[in-house]
Amino acid sequence: MRVLGVSGSLRAHSYNRGLLRAAQQVAPEGMTIELHDLAALPLYDGDVEAAGDPAPVKAWKDALRAADAVLLSTPEYNYSTSGVLKNALDWASRPLLQTPLSDKPVALMGVGGGQGNTALAQMHLRQVLTATNSHVMRRPGLLVNAGRDKFDASGNLVDDRTREALVKLLQGLAAWKARLG
């Protein structure tokens, strides 16, 4: 099972990138997680789209098409997901009836920096992914609070309980994909 892992944060040492790296390390047998960096994506612009997808957009859509499932790790900014991730999903949603996210199994997770977690950001992603006809897994979920206590200065996961919850999420994603076919 080939999973495309995507962080909604561009920071090199972000907790959300660290959570994806940890997912690569604990992925169940038969699952590989390939990370995709969103930094090169331009802001969505219908005029640019009309002239043809720029190379970073084409690469993003191709990576989505090649994946059996998608794992999104989002921070929470202003009670929502990051603009980076929303922009990537806007590009991926076009054209609407040909989105590479249609019928794609998706799992959500996220790390909050303080005592809050990313519940509102994940709720917003569920809403956005409805437009792409994606199959967002309901349970188990992964909401990580106090990231500063669970990751080291380089953004590497050091918390065993979070690692165990991550394993359960990935096992759930494998089962979700198998259930959807």
Side-chain angles (χ1 to χ4, degrees):
M1 178 176 169
R2 186 174 175 192
V3 176
L4 185 66
V6 181
S7 173
S9 175
L10 298 178
R11 291 180 45 239
H13 300 300
S14 88
Y15 302 143
N16 285 284
R17 284 179 184 243
L19 194 57
L20 285 167
R21 287 191 307 274
Q24 288 179 305
Q25 296 166 1
V26 301
E29 187 173 332
M31 178 186 286
T32 60
I33 300 174
E34 176 185 323
L35 303 185
H36 189 86
D37 190 342
L38 301 176
L41 284 180
L43 292 175
Y44 175 77
D45 180 331
D47 292 337
V48 172
E49 178 192 18
D53 286 344
V57 172
K58 184 177 180 327
W60 164 233
K61 289 181 180 181
D62 289 347
L64 287 167
R65 280 186 197 94
D68 297 312
V70 178
L71 177 61
L72 300 178
S73 188
T74 185
E76 185 165 301
Y77 299 151
N78 301 318
Y79 307 116
S80 185
T81 191
S82 67
V84 169
L85 188 51
K86 176 63 169 71
N87 180 61
L89 294 174
D90 287 344
W91 274 112
S93 73
R94 309 289 301 160
L96 189 57
L97 298 178
Q98 298 170 4
T99 171
L101 285 165
S102 186
D103 288 321
K104 192 75 64 172
V106 178
L108 304 177
M109 61 184 188
V111 183
Q115 290 305 312
N117 58 40
T118 60
L120 294 174
Q122 290 187 38
M123 184 174 68
H124 186 209
L125 282 176
R126 288 178 188 284
Q127 181 182 13
V128 169
L129 291 164
T130 298
T132 61
N133 196 38
S134 301
H135 299 293
V136 181
M137 187 173 75
R138 293 188 256 340
R139 287 195 180 113
L142 185 52
L143 303 163
V144 181
N145 67 349
R148 67 182 173 274
D149 299 331
K150 296 175 177 128
F151 293 81
D152 66 18
S154 296
N156 297 309
L157 181 63
V158 295
D159 183 70
D160 290 336
R161 293 183 85 187
T162 302
R163 189 176 307 279
E164 291 168 12
L166 181 57
V167 168
K168 289 179 183 173
L169 177 78
L170 296 174
Q171 290 169 339
L173 179 57
W176 184 238
K177 168 62 178 146
R179 180 177 171 195
L180 292 172

